[in-house]
Amino acid sequence: MRRMNISRHDLVHRPRRLRSSDAIRSLVRETRLGVDDLIYPLFVVEGEGVREEISSLPGNYHLSIDRLLDEVEEVASLGIKGVILFGIPDQSQKDEKGSAAWAEDGIVQKACHSIKEEYPQLLVITDVCLCQYTIHGHCGVLEEGCLINDPTLDRLANVALTHAQAGADMVAPSDMMDGRVRAIRNRLDKACFKEVGIISYSAKYASGFYGPFREAAHSAPQEGDRSSYQMDPANSNEALREMELDVEEGADVIMIKPALSYLDIIRRAKDNFNLPIAAYNVSGEFSMVKAAAQKGWIDERRVALESLTSMKRAGADIIITYWAKDVVKWIKG
Ligand code: PBG
């Protein structure tokens, strides 16, 4: 075999040429993170005048509706196009069924009304789940410690319907029951909410990265875990199957969650479906960077932008992130 005998002086290909200045780097950059990619999560609580920082999610707050509107004002003025709402009912409103989740005057329903009244242009997405509303903290109907699929569907469809009635533009079921996209689509269509979209948490893994969220939403299961409905982190083909079913059932956007440890799943989703792909940069992904930054071990801005850019590079069209407001400030300034 003839040996290629190229000395280092003969190099023809020098990829470093395209990295030699800010100008050229910016011209050849393949992925750009922009304000149009972002959705900001908001946590709504009962009461008035409440704006309490969530200790596990620094810079994010529990907000009563009056203060929520101030926050939404800021979000909208930054140019962020959408928010996703999580309701946190009072402990006294929780019951075995999670009925506060579909109450007409439930916390999310009230929040939707108020936001849409003042900010009709802002896209309001609601998280559809029961875990914040049930005493047991599971995402559906629990019988003898088992989460029962089909009776849960009716409840989830009720939740989605009341959110739509309150003005939600899109609903995002995060429970991982089988058949919930179809159940929700049918219920919305029957009630003439054909224009309300579904962002489905299609591939939602049973992840340790939700830890800080559960503190924020008071939604940890009292007993057991969510492994019988959320996905095994070891699986990838199963995620495609879940997405396929959700697309068939009528999802408008498919979501992968968490994002950072599942970039391969985001890429497979992008390559396999002609639907917008959303990625949820979840609480643990955010909080671990915050904590390390507080210790001076990591540069928050740099690592946050790197993480979010990676999600986009992997194929995400939409990113839900607790950094949304910061990102806009960072990329502007
Ligand atoms: C509700 C829900 C969870 C998250 C979003 N919706 C928690 C869970 O499934 O336990 C997690 C979001 C985050 O960690 O940022 N089912």
Side-chain angles (χ1 to χ4, degrees):
M1 204 174 76
R2 242 187 81 198
R3 282 194 58 188
M4 295 266 283
N5 197 5
I6 300 176
S7 84
R8 76 194 133 96
H9 301 292
D10 303 329
L11 276 180
V12 173
H13 300 289
R14 291 183 182 272
R16 287 186 56 195
R17 284 186 197 118
L18 299 183
R19 291 180 218 137
S20 58
S21 68
D22 268 348
I24 189 70
R25 284 192 292 271
S26 126
L27 284 163
V28 301
R29 188 158 296 133
E30 297 174 39
T31 310
R32 259 174 241 276
L33 195 64
V35 60
D36 294 337
D37 304 320
L38 307 171
I39 290 176
Y40 188 54
L42 289 168
F43 296 92
V44 204
V45 298
E46 296 282 358
E48 237 176 84
V50 185
R51 185 173 198 266
E52 272 166 26
E53 189 169 33
I54 301 167
S55 61
S56 59
L57 292 172
N60 292 267
Y61 297 84
H62 282 145
L63 299 158
S64 56
I65 291 177
D66 52 333
R67 305 301 299 272
L68 176 78
L69 292 174
D70 300 337
E71 188 78 11
V72 168
E73 162 78 43
E74 191 194 345
V75 169
S77 69
L78 285 167
I80 294 169
K81 307 288 184 311
V83 294
I84 180 163
L85 298 181
F86 293 96
I88 299 142
D90 283 344
Q91 193 59 33
S92 63
Q93 294 170 310
K94 297 193 185 201
D95 62 17
E96 197 58 31
K97 292 180 170 172
S99 53
W102 61 84
E104 255 173 56
D105 61 348
I107 185 69
V108 168
Q109 290 80 352
K110 286 189 289 194
C112 269
H113 263 306
S114 308
I115 296 178
K116 283 314 259 189
E117 220 167 74
E118 293 208 26
Y119 303 92
Q121 262 86 291
L122 187 78
L123 189 85
V124 175
I125 304 164
T126 57
D127 184 81
V128 172
C129 201
L130 299 176
C131 57
Q132 284 111 280
Y133 302 87
T134 52
I135 289 170
H136 46 73
H138 278 284
C139 305
V141 178
L142 203 64
E143 267 175 33
E144 287 161 23
C146 258
L147 218 162
I148 317 285
N149 197 88
D150 296 7
T152 300
L153 300 182
D154 197 45
R155 293 186 189 174
L156 293 168
N158 280 338
V159 177
L161 177 61
T162 55
H163 289 179
Q165 286 164 337
D169 298 291
M170 301 191 88
V171 294
S174 67
D175 51 282
M176 287 302 277
M177 295 302 112
D178 295 333
R180 88 269 208 220
V181 172
R182 171 165 297 151
I184 289 173
R185 186 71 272 157
N186 285 345
R187 184 71 54 91
L188 291 176
D189 289 353
K190 270 201 199 111
C192 292
F193 288 104
K194 290 193 166 62
E195 75 291 354
V196 171
I198 301 179
I199 299 191
S200 180
Y201 289 76
S202 302
K204 178 172 178 180
Y205 287 88
S207 169
F209 286 99
Y210 309 146
F213 175 93
R214 291 184 188 168
E215 192 183 319
H218 310 146
S219 63
Q222 297 296 306
E223 265 177 60
D225 61 22
R226 305 206 202 284
S227 312
S228 79
Y229 42 108
Q230 298 181 349
M231 282 185 51
D232 181 344
N235 294 355
S236 169
N237 290 335
E238 188 188 349
L240 285 203
R241 179 84 185 118
E242 283 283 5
M243 293 181 218
E244 211 170 85
L245 290 172
D246 284 0
V247 173
E248 263 174 42
E249 290 178 26
D252 299 284
V253 177
I254 45 189
M255 197 195 313
I256 289 91
K257 176 183 172 188
L260 206 49
S261 297
Y262 300 86
L263 296 179
D264 56 324
I265 310 298
I266 297 176
R267 170 47 56 187
R268 287 192 80 186
K270 185 68 177 173
D271 289 342
N272 279 280
F273 300 97
N274 293 320
L275 253 82
I277 309 295
Y280 199 136
N281 173 219
V282 301
S283 56
E285 300 171 30
F286 171 86
S287 305
M288 66 185 180
V289 174
K290 280 276 182 196
Q294 278 167 6
K295 287 197 172 265
W297 291 344
I298 220 172
D299 174 341
E300 180 189 358
R301 171 188 165 142
R302 187 170 170 189
V303 173
L305 291 175
E306 186 176 333
S307 306
L308 297 167
T309 302
S310 310
M311 292 164 203
K312 222 180 152 195
R313 191 196 62 232
D317 301 290
I318 299 169
I319 304 174
I320 301 179
T321 178
Y322 303 102
W323 273 303
K325 290 190 300 175
D326 298 317
V327 169
V328 180
K329 294 172 194 159
W330 289 333
I331 57 185
K332 269 189 190 157

